[in-house]
C-alpha cells in the first residue's frame, strides 16, 4: 500500500515528505479553503505542493459541465507533470474523464460511494478512484465494507485498456479517519490510502514502542554510569 497525504497545508506536506514514506498528495476545495488560500493563488499553491512531493498531486475541478471540467483539467495539468485532475463521480465528470484520459491526463474520480460508480469511473478511464470511508461512518453505515466491495469489484477486472498509458486503475481509500481504517484498507488490498496528517501521526505511534524505547534509554543510562 502507498500513502498519500490528504491536505493542502504546505507545512504538513513538507513534514510528512521528510518522513520518507509519502507517495503523493490529495487536495480538495475544502482542504484548500482551510489554508486560507485565495482563488487567484490556487494554481501557484498546487505548484508549490508539486515541488515538494515527488508523486501524484490531486487538484480538483469545481466545474459542473463536461466542457468546463475538461478546460479546468487541461489548465491544472499544465501546472506540473505530477498533477492528477480530481473529478467528481457524476455524468459530466465521467464524460470529462474520458476526454482527459484520451489526452493522456490522469484523473482521480472522487466522491465515489458505490461499486457501480467505481466501475463506471474505471471504464471512463480514471487512473485513480477514491471511495470514501469515513463519510459512510458519519451516516451510521459501514464505510470499510463499502470500500471492500469496491476493491473486490475493481480487482476482478482488467481496466487497463481504458486508462492513461494503459496503467492499472488504483483504488485510493479516502475519507480516512483513523489508523484502523488504514489497517483494514491495507488488509483488503486497497492500493493507496490518503490520510490526514493527524492520522499519519497516529499511524507511527504504538504504546509498546514507547515503553520499549523508554526501557532501552534507562538501561543505556546504566551502561554509561557503569
Ligand atoms: C479525498 O481525496 C478527499 O479529499 C478526502 O479523503 C475527503 O475526506 P473527508 O470525508 O474527511 O472530508
Amino acid at each position: 500500500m502507498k500513502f498519500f497525504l490528504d491536505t493542502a497545508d504546505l507545512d504538513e506536506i513538507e513534514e510528512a515528505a521528510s518522513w520518507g514514506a509519502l507517495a503523493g498528495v490529495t487536495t480538495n476545495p475544502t482542504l484548500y479553503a482551510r489554508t486560507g488560500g485565495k482563488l487567484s493563488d490556487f494554481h501557484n499553491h498546487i505548484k508549490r505542493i508539486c515541488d515538494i512531493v515527488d508523486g501524484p498531486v490531486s487538484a480538483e475541478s469545481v466545474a459542473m459541465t463536461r466542457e468546463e471540467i475538461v478546460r479546468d483539467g487541461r489548465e491544472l495539468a499544465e501546472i506540473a507533470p505530477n498533477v492528477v485532475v480530481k473529478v467528481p463521480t457524476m455524468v459530466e465528470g465521467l464524460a470529462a474523464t474520458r476526454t482527459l484520459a484520451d489526452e493522456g491526463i490522469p484523473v482521480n474520480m472522487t466522491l465515489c460511494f458505490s461499486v457501480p460508480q467505481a466501475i463506471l469511473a474505471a471504464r471512463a478511464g480514471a487512473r485513480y478512484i477514491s471511495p470514501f470511508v469515513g463519510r459512510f461512518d458519519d451516516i451510521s453505515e459501514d464505510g470499510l465494507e463499502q470500500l471492500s466491495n469496491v476493491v473486490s469489484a475493481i480487482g476482478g477486472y482488467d481496466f487497463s485498456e481504458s486508462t492513461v498509458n494503459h496503467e492499472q486503475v488504483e483504488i485510493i481509500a479516502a475519507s480516512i479517519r483513523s489508523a484502523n481504517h488504514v489497517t483494514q484498507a491495507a488488509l483488503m488490498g486497497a492500493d493507496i490510502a490518503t490520510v490526514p496528517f493527524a492520522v499519519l501521526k497516529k499511524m507511527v505511534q504504538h504504546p509498546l514502542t514507547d515503553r520499549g524505547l523508554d526501557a532501552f534509554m534507562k538501561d543505556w543510562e546504566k551502561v554509561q554510569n557503569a
Side-chain angles (χ1 to χ4, degrees), residues 6 26-28 30-31 34 58 60 86 108 110-111 130 132 134-135 138 172-177 194 196:
D6 199 22
T26 51
T27 68
N28 65 34
T30 304
L31 294 172
R34 261 183 221 156
S58 290
E60 190 155 342
K86 217 172 178 193
N108 171 3
T110 189
L111 290 171
S130 293
F132 279 37
R135 292 194 194 187
D138 292 344
I172 306 177
S175 186
I176 292 289
R177 303 279 163 78
T194 189

Side-chain angles (χ1 to χ4, degrees), residues 8 19 25 30 36 43 52 54 62 66 75 81 106 108 121-122 139 145 152 175 190 197 206 209 221 224:
W19 294 7
V25 167
T30 304
H43 282 208
I52 300 169
D54 185 20
V62 286
R66 64 191 74 185
E75 287 174 7
N108 171 3
I139 58 163
E145 188 185 352
S152 304
S175 186
F197 190 53
H206 197 285
T209 305
E221 240 178 74
Q224 283 175 317

Side-chain angles (χ1 to χ4, degrees), residues 1 3-4 6 26 131-135 137 143-144 147 172-186 188 190 192-200 203:
M1 167 176 266
F3 297 110
F4 289 0
D6 199 22
T26 51
F132 279 37
V133 176
R135 292 194 194 187
D137 296 355
L144 285 169
L147 173 66
I172 306 177
S175 186
I176 292 289
R177 303 279 163 78
S178 67
N180 183 52
H181 275 169
V182 176
T183 303
Q184 300 309 321
M188 67 182 68
I192 298 157
T194 189
V195 298
F197 190 53
V199 172
L200 188 72
M203 284 165 56

Side-chain angles (χ1 to χ4, degrees), residues 145-218:
E145 188 185 352
Q146 300 286 344
L147 173 66
S148 169
N149 290 342
V150 170
V151 169
S152 304
I154 296 297
Y157 297 94
D158 179 4
F159 292 98
S160 58
E161 69 187 41
S162 306
T163 57
V164 178
N165 301 327
H166 301 296
E167 291 162 310
Q168 277 301 342
V169 59
E170 290 184 279
I171 301 295
I172 306 177
S175 186
I176 292 289
R177 303 279 163 78
S178 67
N180 183 52
H181 275 169
V182 176
T183 303
Q184 300 309 321
L187 290 174
M188 67 182 68
D191 303 291
I192 298 157
T194 189
V195 298
F197 190 53
V199 172
L200 188 72
K201 283 193 284 188
K202 286 199 176 122
M203 284 165 56
V204 82
Q205 290 166 358
H206 197 285
L208 291 179
T209 305
D210 295 342
R211 201 188 299 173
L213 196 55
D214 197 42
F216 286 155
M217 298 311 281
K218 284 190 178 129

Side-chain angles (χ1 to χ4, degrees), residues 65-85:
T65 68
R66 64 191 74 185
E67 293 80 10
E68 289 169 339
I69 297 169
V70 167
R71 195 196 56 219
D72 259 9
R74 287 174 183 148
E75 287 174 7
L76 290 167
E78 286 290 314
I79 296 172
N82 52 333
V83 164
V84 172
V85 181

